[in-house]
PDB file of all heavy atoms in Angstrom:
ATOM      1  N   GLU G   1      38.696 277.598 -48.703  1.00  0.00           N
ATOM      2  CA  GLU G   1      38.992 278.809 -49.487  1.00  0.00           C
ATOM      3  C   GLU G   1      37.715 279.317 -50.250  1.00  0.00           C
ATOM      4  O   GLU G   1      37.384 280.484 -50.309  1.00  0.00           O
ATOM      5  CB  GLU G   1      39.971 278.589 -50.486  1.00  0.00           C
ATOM      6  CG  GLU G   1      41.459 278.338 -49.797  1.00  0.00           C
ATOM      7  CD  GLU G   1      42.525 277.751 -50.772  1.00  0.00           C
ATOM      8  OE1 GLU G   1      42.138 277.052 -51.726  1.00  0.00           O
ATOM      9  OE2 GLU G   1      43.754 277.932 -50.378  1.00  0.00           O
ATOM     10  N   GLN G   2      36.923 278.286 -50.745  1.00  0.00           N
ATOM     11  CA  GLN G   2      35.741 278.634 -51.455  1.00  0.00           C
ATOM     12  C   GLN G   2      34.653 279.156 -50.414  1.00  0.00           C
ATOM     13  O   GLN G   2      33.980 280.174 -50.750  1.00  0.00           O
ATOM     14  CB  GLN G   2      35.113 277.397 -52.021  1.00  0.00           C
ATOM     15  CG  GLN G   2      35.892 276.788 -53.231  1.00  0.00           C
ATOM     16  CD  GLN G   2      35.378 275.602 -53.833  1.00  0.00           C
ATOM     17  OE1 GLN G   2      34.173 275.534 -54.159  1.00  0.00           O
ATOM     18  NE2 GLN G   2      36.044 274.530 -53.869  1.00  0.00           N
ATOM     19  N   ARG G   3      34.653 278.586 -49.169  1.00  0.00           N
ATOM     20  CA  ARG G   3      33.784 279.213 -48.164  1.00  0.00           C
ATOM     21  C   ARG G   3      34.266 280.643 -47.844  1.00  0.00           C
ATOM     22  O   ARG G   3      33.262 281.460 -47.502  1.00  0.00           O
ATOM     23  CB  ARG G   3      33.884 278.323 -46.916  1.00  0.00           C
ATOM     24  CG  ARG G   3      33.154 276.976 -47.127  1.00  0.00           C
ATOM     25  CD  ARG G   3      33.216 276.231 -45.814  1.00  0.00           C
ATOM     26  NE  ARG G   3      32.531 274.890 -46.048  1.00  0.00           N
ATOM     27  CZ  ARG G   3      31.176 274.663 -45.689  1.00  0.00           C
ATOM     28  NH1 ARG G   3      30.428 275.596 -45.276  1.00  0.00           N
ATOM     29  NH2 ARG G   3      30.691 273.484 -45.928  1.00  0.00           N
ATOM     30  N   THR G   4      35.445 280.930 -47.756  1.00  0.00           N
ATOM     31  CA  THR G   4      36.067 282.230 -47.569  1.00  0.00           C
ATOM     32  C   THR G   4      35.379 283.333 -48.525  1.00  0.00           C
ATOM     33  O   THR G   4      34.963 284.412 -48.270  1.00  0.00           O
ATOM     34  CB  THR G   4      37.633 282.271 -47.622  1.00  0.00           C
ATOM     35  OG1 THR G   4      37.992 281.554 -46.579  1.00  0.00           O
ATOM     36  CG2 THR G   4      38.034 283.726 -47.443  1.00  0.00           C
ATOM     37  N   CYS G   5      35.381 282.744 -49.856  1.00  0.00           N
ATOM     38  CA  CYS G   5      34.803 283.717 -50.902  1.00  0.00           C
ATOM     39  C   CYS G   5      33.451 283.993 -50.674  1.00  0.00           C
ATOM     40  O   CYS G   5      32.905 285.049 -50.725  1.00  0.00           O
ATOM     41  CB  CYS G   5      35.085 283.027 -52.228  1.00  0.00           C
ATOM     42  SG  CYS G   5      36.874 283.031 -52.728  1.00  0.00           S
ATOM     43  N   PHE G   6      32.601 282.742 -50.372  1.00  0.00           N
ATOM     44  CA  PHE G   6      31.146 282.945 -50.259  1.00  0.00           C
ATOM     45  C   PHE G   6      30.798 283.908 -49.047  1.00  0.00           C
ATOM     46  O   PHE G   6      29.907 284.605 -49.103  1.00  0.00           O
ATOM     47  CB  PHE G   6      30.589 281.493 -50.138  1.00  0.00           C
ATOM     48  CG  PHE G   6      30.700 280.632 -51.351  1.00  0.00           C
ATOM     49  CD1 PHE G   6      30.694 279.241 -51.109  1.00  0.00           C
ATOM     50  CD2 PHE G   6      30.875 281.113 -52.530  1.00  0.00           C
ATOM     51  CE1 PHE G   6      30.801 278.320 -52.226  1.00  0.00           C
ATOM     52  CE2 PHE G   6      31.100 280.309 -53.674  1.00  0.00           C
ATOM     53  CZ  PHE G   6      30.956 278.981 -53.440  1.00  0.00           C
ATOM     54  N   LYS G   7      31.619 283.720 -47.907  1.00  0.00           N
ATOM     55  CA  LYS G   7      31.313 284.471 -46.833  1.00  0.00           C
ATOM     56  C   LYS G   7      31.632 286.005 -47.025  1.00  0.00           C
ATOM     57  O   LYS G   7      30.883 286.801 -46.525  1.00  0.00           O
ATOM     58  CB  LYS G   7      32.148 283.991 -45.635  1.00  0.00           C
ATOM     59  CG  LYS G   7      31.809 282.668 -45.079  1.00  0.00           C
ATOM     60  CD  LYS G   7      32.576 282.125 -43.962  1.00  0.00           C
ATOM     61  CE  LYS G   7      32.111 280.859 -43.446  1.00  0.00           C
ATOM     62  NZ  LYS G   7      33.048 280.325 -42.265  1.00  0.00           N
ATOM     63  N   THR G   8      32.604 286.361 -47.787  1.00  0.00           N
ATOM     64  CA  THR G   8      33.045 287.705 -48.146  1.00  0.00           C
ATOM     65  C   THR G   8      31.883 288.197 -49.057  1.00  0.00           C
ATOM     66  O   THR G   8      31.489 289.400 -48.847  1.00  0.00           O
ATOM     67  CB  THR G   8      34.361 287.756 -48.893  1.00  0.00           C
ATOM     68  OG1 THR G   8      35.445 287.198 -47.936  1.00  0.00           O
ATOM     69  CG2 THR G   8      34.740 289.171 -49.204  1.00  0.00           C
ATOM     70  N   ARG G   9      31.410 287.456 -50.030  1.00  0.00           N
ATOM     71  CA  ARG G   9      30.276 287.909 -50.810  1.00  0.00           C
ATOM     72  C   ARG G   9      29.152 288.161 -50.020  1.00  0.00           C
ATOM     73  O   ARG G   9      28.413 289.165 -50.202  1.00  0.00           O
ATOM     74  CB  ARG G   9      29.982 286.865 -51.932  1.00  0.00           C
ATOM     75  CG  ARG G   9      31.100 286.977 -52.991  1.00  0.00           C
ATOM     76  CD  ARG G   9      31.093 285.675 -53.879  1.00  0.00           C
ATOM     77  NE  ARG G   9      29.799 285.157 -54.356  1.00  0.00           N
ATOM     78  CZ  ARG G   9      29.508 284.033 -55.069  1.00  0.00           C
ATOM     79  NH1 ARG G   9      30.631 283.321 -55.597  1.00  0.00           N
ATOM     80  NH2 ARG G   9      28.280 283.744 -55.320  1.00  0.00           N
ATOM     81  N   HIS G  10      28.815 287.412 -49.126  1.00  0.00           N
ATOM     82  CA  HIS G  10      27.658 287.645 -48.159  1.00  0.00           C
ATOM     83  C   HIS G  10      27.729 288.904 -47.322  1.00  0.00           C
ATOM     84  O   HIS G  10      26.944 289.775 -47.252  1.00  0.00           O
ATOM     85  CB  HIS G  10      27.466 286.364 -47.235  1.00  0.00           C
ATOM     86  CG  HIS G  10      26.170 286.469 -46.466  1.00  0.00           C
ATOM     87  ND1 HIS G  10      26.020 287.292 -45.220  1.00  0.00           N
ATOM     88  CD2 HIS G  10      24.959 285.947 -46.718  1.00  0.00           C
ATOM     89  CE1 HIS G  10      24.783 287.107 -44.825  1.00  0.00           C
ATOM     90  NE2 HIS G  10      24.098 286.284 -45.593  1.00  0.00           N
ATOM     91  N   GLN G  11      28.998 289.085 -46.892  1.00  0.00           N
ATOM     92  CA  GLN G  11      29.307 290.250 -46.071  1.00  0.00           C
ATOM     93  C   GLN G  11      28.966 291.492 -46.855  1.00  0.00           C
ATOM     94  O   GLN G  11      28.374 292.396 -46.344  1.00  0.00           O
ATOM     95  CB  GLN G  11      30.731 290.336 -45.553  1.00  0.00           C
ATOM     96  CG  GLN G  11      31.148 291.496 -44.840  1.00  0.00           C
ATOM     97  CD  GLN G  11      32.615 291.561 -44.422  1.00  0.00           C
ATOM     98  OE1 GLN G  11      33.273 290.415 -44.375  1.00  0.00           O
ATOM     99  NE2 GLN G  11      33.158 292.743 -44.074  1.00  0.00           N
ATOM    100  N   VAL G  12      29.486 291.546 -48.182  1.00  0.00           N
ATOM    101  CA  VAL G  12      29.408 292.749 -49.047  1.00  0.00           C
ATOM    102  C   VAL G  12      28.082 292.882 -49.643  1.00  0.00           C
ATOM    103  O   VAL G  12      27.412 293.839 -49.505  1.00  0.00           O
ATOM    104  CB  VAL G  12      30.580 292.773 -50.012  1.00  0.00           C
ATOM    105  CG1 VAL G  12      30.311 293.792 -51.058  1.00  0.00           C
ATOM    106  CG2 VAL G  12      31.877 292.769 -49.343  1.00  0.00           C
ATOM    107  N   TYR G  13      27.584 291.891 -50.237  1.00  0.00           N
ATOM    108  CA  TYR G  13      26.424 291.939 -51.111  1.00  0.00           C
ATOM    109  C   TYR G  13      25.127 291.895 -50.252  1.00  0.00           C
ATOM    110  O   TYR G  13      24.143 292.469 -50.621  1.00  0.00           O
ATOM    111  CB  TYR G  13      26.399 290.833 -52.178  1.00  0.00           C
ATOM    112  CG  TYR G  13      27.252 291.220 -53.405  1.00  0.00           C
ATOM    113  CD1 TYR G  13      28.615 290.843 -53.433  1.00  0.00           C
ATOM    114  CD2 TYR G  13      26.764 291.884 -54.519  1.00  0.00           C
ATOM    115  CE1 TYR G  13      29.457 291.267 -54.454  1.00  0.00           C
ATOM    116  CE2 TYR G  13      27.536 292.141 -55.542  1.00  0.00           C
ATOM    117  CZ  TYR G  13      28.895 291.855 -55.614  1.00  0.00           C
ATOM    118  OH  TYR G  13      29.677 292.254 -56.648  1.00  0.00           O
ATOM    119  N   CYS G  14      25.168 291.110 -49.216  1.00  0.00           N
ATOM    120  CA  CYS G  14      23.894 291.038 -48.509  1.00  0.00           C
ATOM    121  C   CYS G  14      23.802 291.843 -47.222  1.00  0.00           C
ATOM    122  O   CYS G  14      22.800 292.495 -46.925  1.00  0.00           O
ATOM    123  CB  CYS G  14      23.805 289.465 -47.930  1.00  0.00           C
ATOM    124  SG  CYS G  14      23.693 288.237 -49.330  1.00  0.00           S
ATOM    125  N   GLU G  15      25.059 292.078 -46.418  1.00  0.00           N
ATOM    126  CA  GLU G  15      24.946 292.736 -45.181  1.00  0.00           C
ATOM    127  C   GLU G  15      25.270 294.166 -45.458  1.00  0.00           C
ATOM    128  O   GLU G  15      24.680 295.101 -44.922  1.00  0.00           O
ATOM    129  CB  GLU G  15      25.950 292.151 -44.268  1.00  0.00           C
ATOM    130  CG  GLU G  15      25.698 290.645 -43.789  1.00  0.00           C
ATOM    131  CD  GLU G  15      26.681 290.004 -43.028  1.00  0.00           C
ATOM    132  OE1 GLU G  15      27.434 290.806 -42.307  1.00  0.00           O
ATOM    133  OE2 GLU G  15      26.822 288.794 -42.987  1.00  0.00           O
ATOM    134  N   GLU G  16      26.373 294.495 -46.129  1.00  0.00           N
ATOM    135  CA  GLU G  16      26.786 295.884 -46.338  1.00  0.00           C
ATOM    136  C   GLU G  16      25.899 296.517 -47.347  1.00  0.00           C
ATOM    137  O   GLU G  16      25.611 297.752 -47.184  1.00  0.00           O
ATOM    138  CB  GLU G  16      28.328 295.914 -46.654  1.00  0.00           C
ATOM    139  CG  GLU G  16      29.184 295.483 -45.617  1.00  0.00           C
ATOM    140  CD  GLU G  16      30.672 295.357 -45.970  1.00  0.00           C
ATOM    141  OE1 GLU G  16      30.940 295.896 -47.131  1.00  0.00           O
ATOM    142  OE2 GLU G  16      31.424 294.999 -45.233  1.00  0.00           O
ATOM    143  N   MET G  17      25.739 296.026 -48.482  1.00  0.00           N
ATOM    144  CA  MET G  17      25.062 296.635 -49.597  1.00  0.00           C
ATOM    145  C   MET G  17      23.579 296.333 -49.771  1.00  0.00           C
ATOM    146  O   MET G  17      22.834 297.147 -50.384  1.00  0.00           O
ATOM    147  CB  MET G  17      25.767 296.332 -50.939  1.00  0.00           C
ATOM    148  CG  MET G  17      27.319 296.665 -50.872  1.00  0.00           C
ATOM    149  SD  MET G  17      27.701 298.348 -50.439  1.00  0.00           S
ATOM    150  CE  MET G  17      27.103 299.346 -51.800  1.00  0.00           C
ATOM    151  N   GLY G  18      23.175 295.294 -49.141  1.00  0.00           N
ATOM    152  CA  GLY G  18      21.783 294.895 -49.340  1.00  0.00           C
ATOM    153  C   GLY G  18      21.209 294.461 -50.752  1.00  0.00           C
ATOM    154  O   GLY G  18      20.088 294.531 -51.120  1.00  0.00           O
ATOM    155  N   PHE G  19      22.200 294.083 -51.583  1.00  0.00           N
ATOM    156  CA  PHE G  19      21.762 293.646 -52.933  1.00  0.00           C
ATOM    157  C   PHE G  19      21.086 292.320 -52.889  1.00  0.00           C
ATOM    158  O   PHE G  19      20.234 292.065 -53.875  1.00  0.00           O
ATOM    159  CB  PHE G  19      23.109 293.492 -53.784  1.00  0.00           C
ATOM    160  CG  PHE G  19      23.796 294.926 -54.142  1.00  0.00           C
ATOM    161  CD1 PHE G  19      25.140 294.861 -54.457  1.00  0.00           C
ATOM    162  CD2 PHE G  19      22.957 295.960 -54.173  1.00  0.00           C
ATOM    163  CE1 PHE G  19      25.684 296.075 -54.774  1.00  0.00           C
ATOM    164  CE2 PHE G  19      23.573 297.184 -54.501  1.00  0.00           C
ATOM    165  CZ  PHE G  19      24.936 297.275 -54.819  1.00  0.00           C
ATOM    166  N   GLU G  20      21.447 291.462 -52.014  1.00  0.00           N
ATOM    167  CA  GLU G  20      20.828 290.034 -51.927  1.00  0.00           C
ATOM    168  C   GLU G  20      20.326 289.849 -50.329  1.00  0.00           C
ATOM    169  O   GLU G  20      20.681 290.645 -49.572  1.00  0.00           O
ATOM    170  CB  GLU G  20      21.795 288.959 -52.203  1.00  0.00           C
ATOM    171  CG  GLU G  20      22.396 289.073 -53.622  1.00  0.00           C
ATOM    172  CD  GLU G  20      21.502 288.612 -54.796  1.00  0.00           C
ATOM    173  OE1 GLU G  20      20.547 288.144 -54.474  1.00  0.00           O
ATOM    174  OE2 GLU G  20      21.920 288.757 -55.973  1.00  0.00           O
ATOM    175  N   ASP G  21      19.331 288.952 -50.301  1.00  0.00           N
ATOM    176  CA  ASP G  21      18.909 288.692 -48.950  1.00  0.00           C
ATOM    177  C   ASP G  21      19.823 288.047 -48.169  1.00  0.00           C
ATOM    178  O   ASP G  21      20.646 287.253 -48.643  1.00  0.00           O
ATOM    179  CB  ASP G  21      17.564 287.703 -49.096  1.00  0.00           C
ATOM    180  CG  ASP G  21      16.441 288.518 -49.774  1.00  0.00           C
ATOM    181  OD1 ASP G  21      16.259 289.689 -49.717  1.00  0.00           O
ATOM    182  OD2 ASP G  21      15.530 287.787 -50.336  1.00  0.00           O
ATOM    183  N   THR G  22      19.912 288.222 -46.938  1.00  0.00           N
ATOM    184  CA  THR G  22      20.819 287.631 -46.021  1.00  0.00           C
ATOM    185  C   THR G  22      20.535 286.011 -45.782  1.00  0.00           C
ATOM    186  O   THR G  22      19.263 285.645 -46.048  1.00  0.00           O
ATOM    187  CB  THR G  22      20.943 288.176 -44.667  1.00  0.00           C
ATOM    188  OG1 THR G  22      19.528 288.130 -44.025  1.00  0.00           O
ATOM    189  CG2 THR G  22      21.353 289.487 -44.661  1.00  0.00           C
ATOM    190  N   ARG G  23      21.496 285.199 -45.648  1.00  0.00           N
ATOM    191  CA  ARG G  23      21.379 283.783 -45.583  1.00  0.00           C
ATOM    192  C   ARG G  23      21.780 283.392 -44.250  1.00  0.00           C
ATOM    193  O   ARG G  23      22.633 283.901 -43.567  1.00  0.00           O
ATOM    194  CB  ARG G  23      22.258 283.070 -46.510  1.00  0.00           C
ATOM    195  CG  ARG G  23      22.509 283.819 -47.950  1.00  0.00           C
ATOM    196  CD  ARG G  23      21.228 283.562 -48.714  1.00  0.00           C
ATOM    197  NE  ARG G  23      21.200 284.343 -50.125  1.00  0.00           N
ATOM    198  CZ  ARG G  23      21.907 283.968 -51.202  1.00  0.00           C
ATOM    199  NH1 ARG G  23      22.480 282.994 -51.241  1.00  0.00           N
ATOM    200  NH2 ARG G  23      21.849 284.783 -52.205  1.00  0.00           N
ATOM    201  N   PRO G  24      21.001 282.358 -43.640  1.00  0.00           N
ATOM    202  CA  PRO G  24      21.294 281.892 -42.159  1.00  0.00           C
ATOM    203  C   PRO G  24      22.747 281.474 -42.160  1.00  0.00           C
ATOM    204  O   PRO G  24      23.310 281.655 -41.003  1.00  0.00           O
ATOM    205  CB  PRO G  24      20.222 280.818 -42.023  1.00  0.00           C
ATOM    206  CG  PRO G  24      19.197 281.071 -42.996  1.00  0.00           C
ATOM    207  CD  PRO G  24      19.837 281.721 -44.271  1.00  0.00           C
ATOM    208  N   ASN G  25      23.321 280.851 -43.223  1.00  0.00           N
ATOM    209  CA  ASN G  25      24.720 280.279 -43.094  1.00  0.00           C
ATOM    210  C   ASN G  25      25.723 281.394 -43.412  1.00  0.00           C
ATOM    211  O   ASN G  25      26.981 281.076 -43.363  1.00  0.00           O
ATOM    212  CB  ASN G  25      24.765 279.068 -43.970  1.00  0.00           C
ATOM    213  CG  ASN G  25      24.612 279.430 -45.535  1.00  0.00           C
ATOM    214  OD1 ASN G  25      24.384 280.649 -45.768  1.00  0.00           O
ATOM    215  ND2 ASN G  25      24.734 278.560 -46.311  1.00  0.00           N
ATOM    216  N   LYS G  26      25.324 282.600 -43.727  1.00  0.00           N
ATOM    217  CA  LYS G  26      26.308 283.686 -43.925  1.00  0.00           C
ATOM    218  C   LYS G  26      27.141 283.373 -45.183  1.00  0.00           C
ATOM    219  O   LYS G  26      28.261 283.911 -45.219  1.00  0.00           O
ATOM    220  CB  LYS G  26      27.095 283.998 -42.646  1.00  0.00           C
ATOM    221  CG  LYS G  26      26.308 284.405 -41.417  1.00  0.00           C
ATOM    222  CD  LYS G  26      25.552 285.628 -41.643  1.00  0.00           C
ATOM    223  CE  LYS G  26      24.878 285.967 -40.326  1.00  0.00           C
ATOM    224  NZ  LYS G  26      24.046 287.304 -40.493  1.00  0.00           N
ATOM    225  N   MET G  27      26.534 282.695 -46.084  1.00  0.00           N
ATOM    226  CA  MET G  27      27.419 282.521 -47.357  1.00  0.00           C
ATOM    227  C   MET G  27      26.518 282.811 -48.608  1.00  0.00           C
ATOM    228  O   MET G  27      25.367 282.329 -48.605  1.00  0.00           O
ATOM    229  CB  MET G  27      27.919 281.072 -47.506  1.00  0.00           C
ATOM    230  CG  MET G  27      28.993 280.782 -46.556  1.00  0.00           C
ATOM    231  SD  MET G  27      29.847 279.083 -46.790  1.00  0.00           S
ATOM    232  CE  MET G  27      28.689 278.144 -45.884  1.00  0.00           C
TER     233      MET G  27
END
């Protein structure tokens, strides 16, 4: 469940919005 949250955050903040750098593990 924690990984689900981290992956969603990566999807939104890193991939969709570009607020943070993308991570190889997508979290």
Side-chain angles (χ1 to χ4, degrees):
E1 294 169 339
Q2 295 178 49
R3 288 177 180 270
T4 295
C5 295
F6 297 157
K7 289 178 180 179
T8 300
R9 282 161 46 177
H10 188 277
Q11 177 185 343
V12 174
Y13 281 86
C14 303
E15 299 174 23
E16 295 178 4
M17 307 304 296
F19 289 157
E20 303 283 351
D21 294 333
T22 57
R23 320 286 173 83
N25 62 1
K26 301 295 184 180
M27 286 189 284

